[in-house]
Amino acid sequence: MKNLPELKLGIVAVSRDCFPVSLSEKRKNNVLAECKKVGIKIHDVPVMVENETDALKALNFINEKQINALVIYLGNFGPETPTTLLAQKFRGPVMFSAAAEESTASLATQRGDAYCGMLNASYNAGLRKLKVYIPEYPVGMPDEIAKMIMEFIPVARTILALSRLKIFSFGPRPQDFLACNAPIKPLYDLGIEIMENSELDLYDVYKSAEGNKNIPAVAKDMAKELGSGNKYPDILNKLAQFEVGLLNFMEKNLGASEFGIFANKCWPAFEKYFEFVPCYVNSRLASRGIPVSCEVDIYGALSEYIGVCATEKPATLLDINNSVPEDMYKENKNKLSSYKFTDLFMGFHCGNTASECLCDCSMKYQFIMHSLMEPGKEPNITRGTLEGRIKPGDITIFRIQSTADTQLKAYMAEGEVLDIDPCSFGGIGVIAIKEMARFYRHVLIEHRFPHHSAVAFAHAGKTIFDICKLIGLSTSNIFYNQSPEQKYPTENPF
């Protein structure tokens, strides 16, 4: 994947002047040794920060090495002002962590009191209005700190990516897709750029790529990827032209941004002029970490991209689409573990999911659009979906959304795609999430989330929850599925 930032991680230790500098230095070196054991690449910032001058020296080193994510480690109590001043001037994602005491024998003369220092560091970060990543329990032994750093990495990568992201949108949403409509102001609050274009601009992007020298190679790559699933080889050149056009447009229009994603109009007029559906091209870009959301769903595209950053895997956008028939549930009892009937639903979209996330995929035509646009005829302008059963495995459904009054809210829930044949069309899978019925009613419906959900192909709830907090969402606006013992605020207790 090329549409993600390269993380250059650094660690700097701080020391309160009334504590031995050697204690913080030794503890930092032990953390570095543990990071090396587990394969974490991290730059050692050699400056020990005891005062503001040290903080500036450390910052100079950080800038020279182009470090873009920083772990500030309290090897002892730590100086409050220099610690938070460094975090403030760094202006990238920062993690605070602190050393635990090693043994009873060390308490008499080698006690560090970082447990206490973390409280003051957090308090001072609040005074400076800093958004700092603090692990669930930020005090630990060197191997535990290394694990915390490992969890910080995808969070830091996402924060960096969002600060350099541009969303390209093409066209208004289709009629009756008000659910995908949301104010764009919160995107600017997150540091995200957006470039809105018309559907005619999208057609111009396609036409401008006509005759491009890269089209034959892209069409050949498509044929190779599809293999025996290449049911309509005669439209590959058109699809390749569209792919080349989109990528060229992104490259020319990133401007001050480094990473790009799309939210594109894909029906109903699209098919009449382009003479194909764009789903397969969307799936190919998704496989490179460039989500292309359907139906100009800007926040859907953003949600997908956050999933990509969190997992370094392709994400997709699916409708939370239909219930599972009772006979299907009964026939597959042996595959359901402890899932209840109402824990299951089907996730579906026309054909935008990356091929690596599908079983036995092939290029087909869009069944619903065909019935509307070409009834009773051989499929022509509705060809170009990538269809197949979504591979069984762990997933996280997630969406970040702006309300009408520009408040950001989000949900996430971990689950899995089951090894069950959905017996239907499109890119589709049977999904199981614990307590989905209650989550559906008291989160998705109650808080008016739209039907599109980003799907990350891993359990990434912890990472995404931390990302949402760090980009400024109130915890009261972050939702997840509750266990049977927990009640939603709106849930009838009787």
Side-chain angles (χ1 to χ4, degrees):
M1 288 193 179
K2 298 180 181 179
N3 200 38
L4 294 173
E6 180 186 352
L7 198 66
K8 293 185 178 179
L9 193 61
I11 182 170
V12 60
V14 298
S15 175
R16 190 69 175 259
D17 55 8
C18 55
F19 286 82
V21 172
S22 58
L23 179 61
S24 204
E25 184 71 36
K26 178 184 73 174
R27 288 175 166 177
K28 182 187 71 169
N29 288 338
N30 290 339
V31 170
L32 284 165
E34 292 295 332
C35 286
K36 187 175 182 180
K37 283 183 186 178
V38 296
I40 298 173
K41 294 180 179 179
I42 187 166
H43 291 274
D44 176 17
V45 180
V47 181
M48 181 61 62
V49 176
E50 292 187 280
N51 53 53
E52 291 184 32
T53 301
D54 293 334
L56 296 177
K57 289 178 182 177
L59 191 64
N60 286 337
F61 179 88
I62 288 165
N63 291 335
E64 286 174 10
K65 296 297 182 181
Q66 297 182 313
I67 292 168
N68 55 19
L70 186 63
V71 176
I72 297 181
Y73 177 65
L74 280 68
N76 59 38
F77 188 95
E80 301 162 27
T81 297
T83 297
T84 53
L85 183 67
L86 176 58
Q88 185 176 46
K89 290 190 174 293
F90 175 63
R91 297 187 182 278
V94 173
M95 168 181 159
F96 282 176
S97 61
E101 310 298 348
E102 291 87 352
S103 67
T104 305
S106 67
L107 293 179
T109 59
Q110 292 289 304
R111 199 186 71 207
D113 297 358
Y115 190 84
C116 183
M118 177 58 73
L119 297 175
N120 282 18
S122 173
Y123 183 86
N124 277 261
L127 291 177
R128 295 182 189 274
K129 296 184 178 179
L130 302 179
K131 295 173 183 175
V132 177
Y133 176 84
I134 300 178
E136 286 301 304
Y137 181 61
V139 183
M141 300 299 288
D143 61 326
E144 294 169 325
I145 299 294
K147 290 177 183 176
M148 296 175 202
I149 293 172
M150 188 73 83
E151 293 179 343
F152 172 57
I153 288 171
V155 176
R157 181 171 53 240
T158 307
I159 300 305
L160 286 173
L162 296 184
S163 68
R164 304 170 190 177
L165 178 66
K166 179 178 281 188
I167 302 174
F168 301 103
S169 72
F170 284 96
R173 290 155 303 282
Q175 175 68 20
D176 291 334
F177 267 70
L178 294 177
C180 292
N181 180 35
I184 63 171
K185 178 188 177 299
L187 298 175
Y188 292 106
D189 295 338
L190 297 175
I192 297 169
E193 295 295 320
I194 182 165
M195 179 180 179
E196 295 183 284
N197 307 275
S198 73
E199 195 170 7
L200 186 58
D201 290 321
L202 185 58
Y203 189 61
D204 184 59
V205 166
Y206 172 65
K207 295 296 288 183
S208 297
E210 192 170 357
N212 187 285
K213 64 180 181 179
N214 295 320
I215 290 173
V218 173
K220 185 177 179 180
D221 187 59
M222 288 177 168
K224 181 180 177 182
E225 179 183 8
L226 289 167
S228 61
N230 186 11
K231 305 299 183 184
Y232 301 114
D234 60 301
I235 66 166
L236 290 189
N237 280 343
K238 289 182 179 180
L239 295 173
Q241 180 179 329
F242 186 58
E243 180 176 311
V244 169
L246 283 176
L247 290 175
N248 285 347
F249 179 87
M250 185 173 104
E251 184 179 354
K252 291 175 182 176
N253 290 280
L254 277 173
S257 302
E258 291 184 40
F259 314 110
I261 60 177
F262 291 91
N264 292 353
K265 185 75 169 284
C266 51
W267 67 277
F270 183 101
E271 287 69 28
K272 295 178 182 178
Y273 294 91
F274 291 77
E275 299 183 327
F276 58 83
V277 294
C279 310
Y280 177 46
V281 173
N282 295 354
S283 80
R284 281 173 56 85
L285 296 187
S287 71
R288 303 179 214 178
I290 308 171
V292 185
S293 71
C294 316
E295 292 135 349
V296 205
D297 183 1
I298 291 168
Y299 284 93
L302 175 59
S303 303
E304 284 184 87
Y305 187 64
I306 290 173
V308 172
C309 293
T311 64
E312 292 188 288
K313 297 179 180 181
T316 193
L317 191 72
L318 298 179
D319 289 353
I320 298 176
N321 197 69
N322 58 280
S323 60
V324 172
E326 190 172 1
D327 59 347
M328 181 180 287
Y329 178 80
K330 290 177 179 178
E331 289 166 9
N332 291 278
K333 268 284 191 179
N334 61 324
K335 300 178 181 179
L336 294 173
S337 184
S338 59
Y339 291 118
K340 299 179 293 188
F341 176 52
T342 53
D343 289 341
L344 274 55
F345 69 97
M346 289 194 193
F348 156 88
H349 234 280
C350 306
N352 59 325
T353 302
S355 61
E356 65 189 83
C357 303
L358 298 173
C359 302
D360 303 321
C361 58
S362 60
M363 186 191 293
K364 296 186 178 178
Y365 66 93
Q366 214 295 316
F367 180 78
I368 298 172
M369 292 184 194
H370 178 257
S371 65
L372 290 172
M373 299 177 186
E374 305 175 294
K377 299 178 182 178
E378 280 295 309
N380 181 23
I381 64 173
T382 55
R383 298 178 298 167
T385 62
L386 186 71
E387 301 199 13
R389 181 162 64 95
I390 298 173
K391 284 182 179 178
D394 293 341
I395 59 149
T396 305
I397 64 170
F398 164 68
R399 186 170 181 97
I400 188 168
Q401 180 78 12
S402 172
T403 61
D405 58 354
T406 71
Q407 297 296 308
L408 283 174
K409 57 183 180 179
Y411 69 74
M412 63 223 59
E414 294 181 342
E416 61 179 310
V417 178
L418 298 174
D419 189 12
I420 295 174
D421 184 355
C423 302
S424 193
F425 59 91
I428 190 167
V430 177
I431 296 174
I433 290 173
K434 293 286 187 183
E435 299 298 313
M436 180 63 192
R438 297 169 59 234
F439 181 71
Y440 175 79
R441 175 61 185 86
H442 296 285
V443 172
L444 302 184
I445 291 176
E446 189 70 30
H447 294 279
R448 297 176 176 85
F449 283 103
H451 63 295
H452 282 177
S453 182
V455 177
F457 289 95
H459 280 170
K462 185 179 190 302
T463 298
I464 293 174
F465 186 89
D466 284 335
I467 290 166
C468 288
K469 287 198 301 180
L470 208 54
I471 62 177
L473 271 72
S474 163
T475 51
S476 62
N477 280 336
I478 305 175
F479 308 99
Y480 49 89
N481 51 326
Q482 304 280 28
S483 68
E485 296 77 25
Q486 298 171 299
K487 296 294 182 186
Y488 293 97
T490 55
E491 193 166 5
N492 191 323
F494 300 99

